[in-house]
Amino acid sequence: MPDGMVMSAPLESIGSPLLWTVTIAVLLVLLAVDFVITRRPHDVPMREAVGWTVFYLALPMAFGLFVWASYGGTASVEFFTGYVVEKSLSVDNLFVFMLLLAAFAVPPVLAQRVLLYGIVGALVLRAIFIAAGAAVISTGTWAFLLFGAVLLATAIKVIRDAVRGTERQVDIDGMRTVRLLRRLMPVTRDYHGAKLVTRIDGRRALTPMALVVAAVFMTDVVFAVDSVPAVYGVTEDPYLVFATNAFALLGLRALYFVLRNALAALRHLNHGLGIILAFIGVKLILHWAHGVWTWVPEIPTLLSLGVIIATLAVVTATSTRANRREARATAAAGRTSPVAVTRGPGTTP
């Protein structure tokens, strides 16, 4: 058998049937609560958004401590590292959601329902990709080489766009899903609350809400392709991979309303995400190579956590400094701009 096709042992997981059942049940309850909250459309005040954000940040912290106490430090560190990676990528996901909401002119009172649909879609897609990823990994260590190559290719594109200063744009008319839906059914001009389908003159018609939800689902597919290999670079446990994705996605609805004004200020976020994806891609390739040639070193998970946190801290600091420098330059330009002076009689020019 060729070295690159070394078969993997069955994946080890802390996810017992009971733990999976409890986790999915809690997830469904939290999603049901979110649907109840968004049933009455309203613009989310900052106090409500901050409260839910704190709650959804406290949940993974408590879960990580539970994993530490029940399954040891290694599993806990893998969970926290995977969570930080997924949360970072989900913030980027949130930025794209923000562009979609603006492009479709979604009323502020409906924004949280659109976000919730996006989160549910992301969770379903991540579950499918996680199961597929586990099946691929179980066939051999070559899967880590494949995942690593995917992440490196993505990292190169992200960093190249960030260095060029390419701004993300949303072309609604260019989206295949949107074009297909428009051909299949008529679309109303106005939103009809949170309805996806309504009746106009006795005929069923889609609302713009249906189009934006479809667009959000398509972006979920793109992000799942990057997200799942990234967290498999941290842990091979499918349960922990699912848990990190679930906890990172659950709080996005509330986090959007906290960060919607700050997201644009994180001008170097894509630089950091590109570095993180490249780092995890190298980690995966080294893991594959170690299975073939044992002398090849592997990157410990704890070191990965340190590198990821340090990268995010650096890009946040550089973004803040760049914003302050730009603000000072703008203020200075305002002070030195020519000002017309009205001279009175007898004034010497």
Side-chain angles (χ1 to χ4, degrees):
M1 182 181 298
D3 287 342
M5 294 296 293
V6 175
M7 296 299 293
S8 295
L11 295 179
E12 295 184 2
S13 175
I14 66 171
S16 64
L18 176 61
L19 190 57
W20 273 105
T21 301
V22 171
T23 302
I24 293 174
V26 171
L27 176 62
L28 292 176
V29 168
L30 291 173
L31 288 175
V33 170
D34 269 354
F35 269 104
V36 170
I37 292 173
T38 60
R39 185 176 182 180
R40 181 179 60 84
H42 66 284
D43 196 4
V44 179
M46 181 59 70
R47 181 175 180 180
E48 177 184 333
V50 170
W52 281 108
T53 298
V54 171
F55 171 74
Y56 280 119
L57 288 175
L59 271 183
M61 297 301 106
F63 180 79
L65 294 176
F66 162 75
V67 172
W68 189 298
S70 303
Y71 304 100
T74 300
S76 180
V77 170
E78 288 180 353
F79 168 76
F80 280 123
T81 305
Y83 173 75
V84 173
V85 170
E86 287 303 313
K87 200 65 178 178
S88 305
L89 293 173
S90 69
V91 169
D92 194 39
N93 204 159
L94 202 60
F95 186 75
V96 175
F97 286 170
M98 183 175 69
L99 294 179
L100 286 170
L101 292 174
F104 281 94
V106 177
V109 295
L110 298 178
Q112 58 177 341
R113 176 52 68 96
V114 174
L115 292 170
L116 186 55
Y117 281 134
I119 291 167
V120 172
L123 284 169
V124 172
L125 288 168
R126 300 290 172 87
I128 294 171
F129 276 73
I130 288 167
V136 172
I137 289 175
S138 65
T139 65
T141 57
W142 63 271
F144 294 106
L145 180 61
L146 173 64
F147 288 171
V150 169
L151 291 181
L152 284 177
T154 303
I156 290 171
K157 182 181 183 304
V158 170
I159 293 174
R160 184 177 64 239
D161 290 345
V163 171
R164 291 177 178 175
T166 303
E167 293 188 2
R168 289 183 175 177
Q169 296 180 345
V170 174
D171 180 12
I172 296 175
D173 295 327
M175 292 182 176
R176 294 179 181 177
T177 306
V178 172
R179 294 205 306 265
L180 176 62
L181 288 176
R182 282 174 173 168
R183 284 200 298 266
L184 292 176
M185 290 181 66
V187 180
T188 64
R189 294 180 58 87
D190 301 319
Y191 285 86
H192 292 257
K195 292 181 179 179
L196 302 178
V197 181
T198 188
R199 284 191 176 274
I200 302 294
D201 298 329
R203 295 181 59 196
R204 291 169 63 85
L206 297 175
T207 69
M209 187 76 164
L211 299 186
V212 67
V213 168
V216 166
F217 281 0
M218 290 309 298
T219 63
D220 286 338
V221 174
V222 175
F223 277 97
V225 172
D226 299 333
S227 173
V228 173
V231 76
Y232 266 123
V234 174
T235 176
E236 298 176 36
D237 185 334
Y239 173 79
L240 289 179
V241 174
F242 178 78
T244 56
N245 275 269
F247 280 115
L249 290 169
L250 276 175
L252 278 191
R253 179 185 60 81
L255 189 62
Y256 168 82
F257 295 98
V258 175
L259 294 182
R260 59 182 164 184
N261 295 324
L263 283 174
L266 295 174
R267 57 174 67 191
H268 296 156
L269 176 62
N270 278 354
H271 296 75
L273 293 179
I275 292 171
I276 290 171
L277 290 174
F279 173 79
I280 298 176
V282 171
K283 183 178 187 295
L284 280 167
I285 292 173
L286 288 177
H287 180 67
W288 164 80
H290 181 78
V292 180
W293 305 287
T294 55
W295 53 267
V296 176
E298 291 191 277
I299 300 176
T301 302
L302 195 59
L303 176 60
S304 300
L305 178 60
V307 170
I308 292 165
I309 291 177
T311 302
L312 293 174
V314 168
V315 298
T316 301
T318 57
S319 296
T320 302
R321 187 171 64 179
N323 291 333
R324 288 175 178 171
R325 186 168 59 245
E326 184 177 282
R328 287 197 298 268
T330 302
R335 288 195 299 270
T336 58
S337 61
V339 179
V341 178
T342 303
R343 300 181 182 279
T347 302
T348 303

